[in-house]
Amino acid sequence: MDTKKLADLLIPDSDLLPPEEYENIYPERERESKAEVTRLAPSPTGFIHLGNLYSALADERAAHTTGGIFYLRIEDTDEKRKVDGAVESVIRSLNYFGINFDEGAEIDSPLNKYGPYYQRQRAKIYRAFAKRLIEQGLAYPCFCTEDELNAVREEQTAQKLITGYYGKYAKCRNLSSEQIEANVKAGKPYVIRLKSQGSNENKILFKDAIKGEVTVTENDQDVVILKSDGIPTYHFAHAIDDHFMRTTLVIRGEEWLSSLPVHIELHKVLGFKPPKYAHTCSLMKMDGGTKRKLSKRKDPELSLDYYRKSGYFPKAVVRYLMTILNSDFEEWTLKNPDADYRDFKFRIEKMGKSGALFDLDKLNDLSRTEISKLSESECYDFLKGWVDEFGTEKDKAHFKDKEYIIKVLALIMGVGGKKRRKDIERAEQGVRLIDYFFDDTFAPEYAYRFDKETVNRVLDKFAESYDPADDNSVWFSKVKAIAPLVGFASEMSEYKAHPENYKGNVSDVAEILRIAITGMPNSPDLCTIMGILGKERSLLRLNAAKI
Ligand code: GLU
């Protein structure tokens, strides 16, 4: 049987286009020569992590700093790993961090001319090419069972040989047409394998856009290109997709570097010019003095949800990742403190060649700085965004009163003023800090340091004299006036000179009032807090705080 007939027997589909047709269907993109076309190509597993964001940011920056395109392709060939809603979740998560696709799966864009962007919907294209390779004698069916393959692997391992399907171990490589026909007729399942033309005695010099020149051994493995259900493997599908989606730069994790020889050969036999490849190094962290990869099991900070749920300022996360992506970003930031990170000239070749160290403390620091720069309404929007998604029902109700919240934020975080509070790194912290401004979340502890009689007298006396129209100095003079009534010194200098003569001093009076109003011994300016709460609520709190 000639290879044409063999191809018809193995892939009998009548609706396949001649492969070269796809060159017309997906023509070269019109673009400036420097413009990069990049893609994020996740499997729809539902788990999107910091490494994906890191890679997506590199993709997005590489595309958008060169006037190119960044698109989303879904690699859903493994049905078992698919999770409903995963694609929307990728888009939403990246969107939260300010990373947007120009084109691709579930993206509403006039640029969507290279789809479908789900690999499962591209089966015909892969099958057309697999069929062509069979016709060319560059691919063949393999009927080996799992057990047979395992036995070969064990033998190779015992003999300390490279494992896999190659050379004399590629049992189905030389099956006769009759044997193939008989097997197919007998209904034996088969995969389609590449008939590798390579030799592991040859070396290939390859230029990685990040790692520079890398020498790899030529592929000689007859890798599977179509699985027994007719669905392609990653190797085969990505080569075809990156070619026809006209990707110019593939940025992916360094775990793919070992498959590169296979990919180089696949592009060659398919007649494609390979895109540029950039293999990013893994995100690492310091753990008890040693560097190790961030792990899904051990490190909650690997999951992007962690940042959203605890309310990190998204731009801080992105800016932090930029510092890992390009080491001169930090210096640029110092020179351009208020500039948008998108104004920085990102360059793929400036990315680190080995393990990128992820330092949560540094990220926290950056988050605090970024939050401290927010304007009143930015701060409100940021906190409200978190509250809408993760806050309690009470938080949601509180945030309906924007005017009130902004007044509180101005005081608590110094937002809008000169003295900014710089210790808030996450929305959640900010939201909890203002709890005491609302009666339903005001949970005082009343941990007074004085006896009942003193406390109650301070509270009663102050309530009698309190007038919301008082400015700060009048307010304070009223606090001072209470001191002698409870045996406290009204002047600090007097108290310091003769502490034995007094039970306490004016600041202790203020502390009692503070505990009554805020539930805590420390707070920002109490006169302003009472002004925000208003007379009625302030008096109610002074009364309720008596012991
Ligand atoms: N689907 C692959 C993954 O999720 C994509 C690798 C690539 O970017 O080519 O790891």
Side-chain angles (χ1 to χ4, degrees):
M1 192 183 347
D2 65 12
T3 51
K4 172 91 184 57
K5 283 208 186 106
L6 180 62
D8 283 336
L9 173 70
L10 296 169
I11 303 188
D13 318 24
S14 55
D15 58 349
L16 300 183
L17 294 177
E20 41 285 339
E21 270 291 300
Y22 289 105
E23 293 292 339
N24 303 325
I25 298 175
Y26 303 116
E28 287 279 1
R29 292 171 186 263
E30 277 173 34
R31 60 179 180 98
E32 301 272 324
S33 63
K34 281 206 184 83
E36 302 287 11
V37 180
T38 63
R39 84 299 193 275
L40 190 72
S43 302
T45 58
F47 182 67
I48 164 141
H49 57 75
L50 197 68
N52 299 127
L53 177 64
Y54 172 75
S55 192
L57 182 61
D59 276 313
E60 189 267 350
R61 287 293 78 211
H64 293 158
T65 50
T66 56
I69 297 282
F70 173 44
Y71 72 87
L72 174 65
R73 178 172 78 225
I74 302 301
E75 306 213 321
D76 55 354
T77 53
D78 189 351
E79 187 79 345
K80 288 195 285 300
R81 297 176 65 207
K82 198 172 142 205
V83 169
D84 283 345
V87 179
E88 289 71 16
S89 147
V90 168
I91 297 172
R92 198 172 358 98
S93 294
L94 293 181
N95 202 269
Y96 176 77
F97 291 101
I99 297 177
N100 300 313
F101 295 98
D102 304 304
E103 163 186 329
E106 307 305 326
I107 306 297
D108 182 15
S109 164
L111 295 171
N112 284 354
K113 294 185 178 141
Y114 292 84
Y117 295 92
Y118 284 85
Q119 288 186 326
R120 283 210 157 242
Q121 296 171 19
R122 299 170 67 81
K124 266 199 217 170
I125 313 179
Y126 310 126
R127 291 175 71 75
F129 277 91
K131 190 165 184 177
R132 173 60 56 87
L133 291 183
I134 299 168
E135 285 168 10
Q136 293 171 324
L138 292 170
Y140 65 90
C142 166
F143 300 91
C144 289
T145 62
E146 205 55 39
D147 288 346
E148 284 171 311
L149 295 174
N150 285 340
V152 171
R153 193 171 312 115
E154 273 167 29
E155 185 191 330
Q156 290 166 331
T157 312
Q159 293 183 34
K160 299 199 168 42
L161 293 170
I162 297 173
T163 55
Y165 209 81
Y166 62 95
K168 66 171 182 174
Y169 300 102
K171 263 179 41 194
C172 295
R173 201 177 221 245
N174 299 314
L175 290 181
S176 67
S177 304
E178 292 72 36
Q179 284 167 308
I180 294 176
E181 205 170 347
N183 282 344
V184 173
K185 290 220 167 102
K188 280 196 183 173
Y190 56 89
V191 299
I192 304 292
R193 286 184 184 271
L194 169 75
K195 191 179 258 180
S196 173
Q197 307 297 302
S199 152
N200 80 343
E201 287 179 1
N202 298 339
K203 300 278 177 215
I204 315 172
L205 186 67
F206 161 80
K207 196 161 179 307
D208 186 272
I210 295 173
K211 298 195 184 289
E213 283 187 352
V214 191
T215 306
V216 293
T217 304
E218 204 171 75
N219 175 57
D220 67 346
Q221 299 264 351
D222 288 356
V223 292
V224 175
I225 56 172
L226 286 191
K227 294 182 263 188
S228 55
D229 55 3
I231 298 295
T233 53
Y234 163 74
H235 305 304
F236 195 53
H238 104 282
I240 292 178
D241 292 345
D242 281 329
H243 177 72
F244 287 115
M245 294 183 180
R246 306 298 177 181
T247 313
T248 61
L249 174 63
V250 169
I251 302 175
R252 61 183 183 185
E254 65 189 350
E255 65 277 15
W256 293 109
L257 201 52
S258 58
S259 313
L260 192 71
V262 174
H263 301 163
I264 293 174
E265 182 170 11
L266 280 172
H267 277 90
K268 193 166 158 196
V269 295
L270 289 164
F272 305 154
K273 176 174 176 276
K276 288 183 288 249
Y277 282 99
H279 290 93
T280 60
C281 42
S282 310
L283 289 178
M284 317 280 281
K285 77 181 267 186
M286 290 308 288
D287 186 2
T290 48
K291 234 183 182 187
R292 64 160 174 81
K293 266 194 198 178
L294 277 175
S295 118
K296 190 169 165 179
R297 199 167 44 84
K298 293 189 206 153
D299 306 311
E301 72 266 34
L302 184 61
S303 151
L304 281 191
D305 272 354
Y306 169 81
Y307 300 94
R308 278 184 47 230
K309 282 191 186 139
S310 53
Y312 272 88
F313 189 57
K315 213 187 251 170
V317 178
V318 170
R319 286 189 85 98
Y320 178 62
L321 289 179
M322 286 296 294
T323 66
I324 317 185
L325 284 175
N326 270 187
S327 58
D328 54 343
F329 177 75
E330 216 167 341
E331 199 188 318
W332 177 86
T333 311
L334 293 176
K335 286 195 198 128
N336 306 279
D338 298 320
D340 193 302
Y341 75 88
R342 294 180 179 91
D343 296 338
F344 170 75
K345 278 221 165 340
F346 169 81
R347 297 247 310 279
I348 195 85
E349 54 286 6
K350 285 190 295 187
M351 283 181 68
K353 292 184 181 25
S354 57
L357 197 60
F358 180 78
D359 181 347
L360 198 56
D361 290 339
K362 259 186 121 171
L363 167 61
N364 289 341
D365 200 42
L366 230 136
S367 192
R368 288 192 287 268
T369 310
E370 288 294 319
I371 291 175
S372 78
K373 286 198 227 157
L374 298 180
S375 70
E376 290 173 4
S377 64
E378 280 169 341
C379 190
Y380 171 82
D381 289 346
F382 165 56
L383 297 183
K384 183 168 186 307
W386 181 84
V387 161
D388 284 347
E389 209 171 346
F390 303 107
T392 61
E393 287 312 311
K394 286 178 186 166
D395 293 336
K396 286 180 190 149
H398 299 164
F399 270 75
K400 288 207 174 109
D401 192 347
K402 183 168 177 177
E403 213 179 307
Y404 184 74
I405 297 266
I406 286 193
K407 262 197 263 170
V408 174
L409 291 179
L411 175 70
I412 297 289
M413 296 169 76
V415 176
K418 283 204 190 86
K419 249 182 85 196
R420 298 295 300 256
R421 183 172 180 143
K422 286 216 171 119
D423 61 345
I424 314 289
E425 62 199 26
R426 291 171 284 115
E428 188 175 13
Q429 281 174 304
V431 172
R432 294 288 71 90
L433 268 183
I434 63 176
D435 271 347
Y436 68 84
F437 282 89
F438 302 91
D439 293 337
D440 58 354
T441 44
F442 175 52
E445 286 193 9
Y446 298 142
Y448 300 115
R449 291 187 294 115
F450 296 92
D451 58 76
K452 177 178 167 150
E453 200 186 329
T454 308
V455 168
N456 289 353
R457 193 155 164 79
V458 166
L459 297 175
D460 276 338
K461 284 289 159 196
F462 190 79
E464 272 170 32
S465 65
Y466 178 62
D467 181 348
D470 294 342
D471 66 12
N472 229 298
S473 71
V474 177
W475 182 90
F476 192 57
S477 65
K478 288 182 173 173
V479 174
K480 266 183 168 179
I482 292 172
L485 305 180
V486 288
F488 288 12
S490 51
E491 296 299 333
M492 283 309 283
S493 51
E494 169 60 18
Y495 180 74
K496 277 188 187 144
H498 302 288
E500 66 285 359
N501 293 347
Y502 302 98
K503 281 202 302 185
N505 61 56
V506 59
S507 79
D508 297 322
V509 177
E511 183 187 287
I512 293 173
L513 295 173
R514 198 180 297 285
I515 291 176
I517 297 289
T518 69
M520 300 171 295
N522 294 303
S523 79
D525 182 63
L526 190 56
C527 174
T528 315
I529 294 178
M530 292 176 77
I532 293 174
L533 288 172
K535 180 168 185 178
E536 197 186 334
R537 281 205 288 166
S538 295
L539 292 182
L540 277 172
R541 285 191 185 189
L542 291 174
N543 193 40
K546 286 199 280 187
I547 44 180

